[in-house]
Amino acid sequence: MSMVQNPFYYKTRTLYCENMPVRTLVKKYGTPLYIYSRQAFLQRYAEVAGGLKEFNPLICFSVKSNANIAILKMLGRAGAGADIVSGGELFRCLKAGIPPSRIVYAGVGKTTAEIRFALKSGIRLFNVESLPELHAINAVARGMGTIARIGFRLNPDVDAKTHALTTTGKKENKFGLPIAHALDYYREAGRLAHVRAVGIDMHLGSPIFSLQPYTTALRKLLAVLDTLATHNITLEELDIGGGLGITYANEKPFTVAAFARAIRPFVRRSGLRLIVEPGRYICGNSGILATSVTYVKKTPVKNFIITDSGMNDLIRPPLYGSYHRIEPVQKRGQRTMTADIVGPICESSDFMGKDRKIEEPGAGDCLAVMSAGAYGFSMSSNYNSRPRACEVLVSVNNASVIRRRETYDDLVRAEVR
Ligand code: LLP
């Protein structure tokens, strides 16, 4: 199959994923169904790898965006490392065969058990977010007779101009350490025998649609490197996080080439190995959520299209007010209606789209919630005791189940009767 621009497309009114009609997949696997395109993942990964090639970077896929082992395995084989934030994510990465030397670990609340697990596994780098954490890592490493490679995640106080709930690089956010005191942290690390400070790190938020926050923050990081140099502190790695935006509706995200141009002067001058942590950019438009219409409910003030997927399957719209395009899996040329597209969950916030103009569906018709590959399944839950969805990975004209649909028994498996 030739590389098409978008692996999700219509042919004679039928929505396809690569060479598979979505309705065929739905018939076989049921709904709600996460459908991923292998080609999309690999194409987006290749775009990042190709666009940043001049830096010989380590591309650490942000596991929180899509943590399925089959996805991690596929990206790992393509050369990706991983950005993790928990012992569970580390466990998944190891199962997926991602080499620990390509794994970097961020997060403000690493427990001693998680630190021990990461040290035992031999990960590349801890991105440290507080001084108590630095001391905890040093203590665990001492107990294990080893030395932990660490970097400091610095909070550059730069506004990434993204949703308030997904902004991480402003000084009032819990993330990172205040950049003004960076020298103190590296000096403190220098006094500890079981950590070695090799990195400097930032992550500004997600999704970001402008290059300016990156360059403003990088300027600040470079100033820190200059200060460190005057104290004979030299590093190896420059981790600039993720956050690269994608198109959900009409957004015009910057390209990887533009990103490379913007960061080039800073990365070159730093002389450090570049690490990037894209999640959404690689997986966001590589997956959709297919759902079936259960009822169309018309009231004097509003119409509701009630589907079999809810906020437990995709929480982004209720949580952030995020917009996802919603399209018929099979266009029929019916008249359109304006409706809220909602789920079966007992919460008024259980919606996928509000006031959408859409071809009037009948019960049993299927809809596709687009751009659902990132922070879709990975943020799903069992709320309202709903078994979680099935995930399938499509490659040309083959589909494989990469996570079976949960059963009622799965719901109670860990519980004590
Ligand atoms: N690195 C770190 C340290 C992060 O915290 C994140 C995302 C990333 C990388 C990857 O960001 P990305 O390239 O995917 O934008 N649930 C929200 C997004 C939360 C992102 C949290 N951190 C959403 O659905 O939009």
Side-chain angles (χ1 to χ4, degrees):
M1 182 182 164
S2 66
M3 287 290 226
V4 291
Q5 203 43 49
N6 182 357
F8 296 94
Y9 61 95
Y10 282 95
K11 196 162 78 187
T12 56
R13 296 180 172 185
T14 297
L15 182 64
Y16 278 73
C17 172
E18 300 198 12
N19 287 2
M20 300 280 294
V22 169
R23 60 154 197 262
T24 308
L25 297 168
V26 161
K27 216 179 239 162
K28 181 148 184 212
Y29 302 107
T31 53
L33 181 67
Y34 274 96
I35 301 170
Y36 305 116
S37 155
R38 181 170 186 275
Q39 182 199 316
F41 269 98
L42 294 178
Q43 193 173 299
R44 293 294 273 193
Y45 177 77
E47 225 181 90
V48 176
L52 301 179
K53 200 162 121 214
E54 63 183 290
F55 309 115
N56 183 29
L58 178 62
I59 300 165
C60 292
F61 174 65
S62 194
V63 173
K64 63 180 86 65
S65 65
N66 190 318
N68 188 293
I69 294 179
I71 302 290
L72 298 178
K73 207 185 240 175
M74 170 176 78
L75 292 172
R77 282 206 191 114
D83 151 51
I84 62 165
V85 288
S86 71
E89 287 188 349
L90 174 55
F91 178 80
R92 285 179 174 280
C93 289
L94 298 177
K95 282 245 179 282
I98 295 185
S101 61
R102 290 195 223 141
I103 298 177
V104 301
Y105 189 175
V108 297
K110 305 174 190 82
T111 64
T112 49
E114 288 176 316
I115 293 166
R116 192 169 303 117
F117 179 26
L119 280 173
K120 210 177 92 199
S121 310
I123 65 161
R124 182 189 198 90
L125 185 66
F126 290 88
N127 282 322
V128 174
E129 308 215 19
S130 68
L131 287 182
E133 181 195 331
L134 176 71
H135 288 276
I137 294 174
N138 185 63
V140 175
R142 187 191 320 116
M144 296 172 67
T146 182
I147 293 175
R149 287 167 51 88
I150 65 119
F152 287 106
R153 176 169 176 181
L154 299 178
N155 183 322
D157 191 27
V158 166
D159 187 355
K161 300 195 179 64
T162 185
H163 192 283
L165 293 177
T166 54
T167 292
T168 53
K170 287 170 74 178
K171 61 177 182 304
E172 60 269 33
N173 301 133
K174 70 174 176 178
F175 298 100
L177 282 152
I179 196 163
H181 305 289
L183 176 60
D184 298 341
Y185 313 135
Y186 286 92
R187 281 180 149 168
E188 182 67 10
R191 286 191 279 273
L192 303 176
H194 293 276
V195 295
R196 193 154 77 83
V198 295
I200 186 166
D201 171 46
M202 67 179 197
H203 171 71
L204 302 175
S206 159
I208 300 173
F209 292 97
S210 147
L211 292 164
Q212 178 262 319
Y214 287 99
T215 53
T216 305
L218 275 169
R219 197 163 293 123
K220 294 187 177 193
L221 254 52
L222 266 285
V224 170
L225 291 178
D226 287 343
T227 307
L228 296 180
T230 64
H231 291 79
N232 292 319
I233 301 171
T234 54
L235 305 178
E236 298 167 16
E237 332 238 30
L238 170 64
D239 185 339
I240 63 173
L244 287 74
I246 62 165
T247 303
Y248 284 97
N250 312 305
E251 302 91 336
K252 293 261 175 293
F254 52 78
T255 60
V256 179
F259 184 69
R261 263 197 309 281
I263 65 172
R264 182 176 298 137
F266 302 99
V267 180
R268 291 231 174 116
R269 197 155 80 70
S270 77
L272 305 183
R273 174 87 188 269
L274 178 68
I275 300 178
V276 287
E277 304 174 348
R280 186 188 323 261
Y281 192 86
I282 291 170
C283 58
N285 275 320
S286 303
I288 64 171
L289 171 62
T291 183
S292 300
V293 174
T294 313
Y295 301 109
V296 177
K297 172 172 168 175
K298 297 181 178 174
T299 81
V301 283
K302 253 197 149 115
N303 297 320
F304 298 96
I305 296 172
I306 302 169
T307 71
D308 67 356
S309 72
M311 65 192 279
N312 73 298
D313 298 299
L314 179 70
I315 203 173
R316 301 192 71 255
L319 195 56
Y320 316 114
S322 306
Y323 182 90
H324 287 259
R325 282 191 300 122
I326 302 174
E327 311 276 3
V329 161
Q330 181 67 54
K331 289 184 181 165
R332 298 188 201 286
Q334 304 284 37
R335 64 194 165 91
T336 59
M337 72 188 300
T338 300
D340 284 7
I341 299 166
V342 303
I345 290 197
C346 298
E347 300 267 357
S348 291
S349 60
D350 181 30
F351 69 92
M352 292 184 292
K354 289 224 160 138
D355 295 316
R356 296 298 180 86
K357 217 172 143 189
I358 186 164
E359 193 171 294
E360 180 161 350
D365 282 355
C366 286
L367 302 178
V369 185
M370 310 306 287
S371 312
Y375 307 105
F377 188 89
S378 69
M379 292 182 84
S380 69
S381 77
N382 290 121
Y383 187 42
N384 277 202
S385 288
R386 288 168 45 80
R388 275 180 294 175
C390 175
E391 294 177 287
V392 295
L393 180 61
V394 173
S395 178
V396 193
N397 44 24
N398 261 304
S400 43
V401 173
I402 58 173
R403 194 180 207 274
R404 65 161 172 81
R405 185 175 303 287
E406 287 182 351
T407 63
Y408 288 153
D409 278 325
D410 289 327
L411 290 179
V412 296
R413 183 141 293 148
E415 293 173 25
V416 178
R417 243 171 273 227

